[in-house]
Amino acid sequence: MMKFKVINIENLSEAQFDSAFDKMSSERKIRCLRYKFAEDRRRMAFGDELLRKLLSEVYSADEKDIELNNLPSGKPVAKVLGKEVFVSITHSGNFVASAVSDTAVGIDLEVKKAYKPTVYKALNEAEREYIAKSKDEALAFYKIWTAKEAFVKLSGVGLAGFSKADVLPLVKNGKWDGLVLKANHTEDYVFTIIYEK
C-alpha cells in the first residue's frame, strides 16, 4: 500500500498556517522555526498537516493519535497509535506533498525553473548522457533530480548520498531492484515517488 496527496498552499491563510503550526511536535516546530524565510516555514507546517490528514485517512486514526518527529538525519518518522509507519514529505514553490506506505518511501516534487549547469556535477555520466539525448532536456533533468531526491529520502542516507544514488534504471523502467517509481509532470512541476515493492 502506498498513498500520497499533493496540495497547492498558495491561497491558504495565516490563520490556517497558525493552526497547522500549533499541531506540530515541539521537535518539528523547532526545525520549522530554523527556516529563514516565512515561505519555507509555511511549506513545512502545511506539509506536516497534509501528512497528518493522510495518515488519519489511511489508518482511520484521530490526528491526536499521530506523532511526527525526525531521525537525526532529518528524515521524518511517524507513529500512528504507537506503531511506526513509513512517510515522506516534500515541498517546492506553492506545492506540498506527502506519502504514506507500508514499505520505505521517498517523495519529491520540484517546481520547474531555470537551473545552472553546475548542478550537473551531482549527476553521474550516464545520467548526464540521458539528459543530453532527451528531446526535452529540462524535463529529463527534473526527472533524474526528483528521482535522486526521492531515493535519498527513501533510503534515509541524507544529501551525502545524493550524487551516489544511481536512479537511471528506475527513471527508464519504473521498476528496479525491488523498487517502484511513479512520476508525473505538468508544465510547472515534476513529481516522483519511489517505494519498496
Side-chain angles (χ1 to χ4, degrees):
M1 173 280 305
M2 188 278 298
K3 303 277 185 191
F4 69 92
K5 281 194 175 193
V6 181
I7 62 168
N8 186 331
I9 64 169
E10 182 176 17
N11 296 317
L12 298 182
S13 70
E14 193 64 27
Q16 288 171 297
F17 165 77
D18 291 341
S19 174
F21 183 82
D22 287 344
K23 293 175 189 171
M24 296 173 82
S25 70
S26 298
E27 178 187 350
R28 299 283 291 165
K29 283 179 182 176
I30 291 167
R31 184 175 285 275
C32 185
L33 291 172
R34 286 185 191 144
Y35 282 115
K36 180 178 179 180
F37 299 108
E39 297 84 12
D40 293 324
R41 293 189 294 273
R42 281 176 54 84
R43 289 181 194 110
M44 182 173 179
F46 287 127
D48 267 37
E49 182 173 63
L50 181 62
L51 180 56
R52 284 179 187 288
K53 288 180 179 179
L54 184 57
L55 286 163
S56 179
E57 289 172 18
V58 169
Y59 293 99
S60 301
D62 193 286
E63 285 191 40
K64 67 178 174 36
D65 296 321
I66 297 168
E67 295 176 50
L68 294 180
N69 287 298
N70 288 84
L71 296 174
S73 66
K75 180 178 175 142
V77 292
K79 287 185 180 179
V80 180
L81 297 167
K83 179 187 174 202
E84 198 164 296
V85 296
F86 296 96
V87 298
S88 190
I89 303 172
T90 187
H91 35 78
S92 181
N94 291 321
F95 296 97
V96 297
S98 298
V100 174
S101 179
D102 52 5
T103 60
V105 63
I107 186 171
D108 190 54
L109 179 145
E110 295 290 335
V111 172
K112 289 196 253 178
K113 58 187 176 212
Y115 58 91
K116 296 178 183 173
T118 54
V119 300
Y120 274 36
K121 65 185 176 192
L123 307 179
N124 65 39
E125 186 61 38
E127 292 164 345
R128 289 191 293 268
E129 186 177 308
Y130 172 82
I131 292 166
K133 289 182 177 179
S134 175
K135 291 178 185 174
D136 184 341
E137 285 189 26
L139 178 59
F141 167 78
Y142 276 107
K143 283 181 175 180
I144 295 287
W145 194 267
T146 58
K148 280 182 162 303
E149 289 262 5
F151 181 82
V152 165
K153 290 177 181 182
L154 172 139
S155 64
V157 297
L159 290 177
F162 188 87
S163 61
K164 296 175 187 159
D166 181 14
V167 297
L168 195 54
L170 272 167
V171 171
K172 287 181 172 180
N173 305 314
K175 294 179 183 175
W176 180 69
D177 199 27
L179 299 174
V180 177
L181 179 144
K182 301 282 184 196
N184 199 354
H185 68 275
T186 69
E187 185 177 307
D188 301 320
Y189 70 88
V190 176
F191 174 77
T192 301
I193 300 173
I194 299 175
Y195 60 99
E196 290 180 345
K197 192 172 180 180

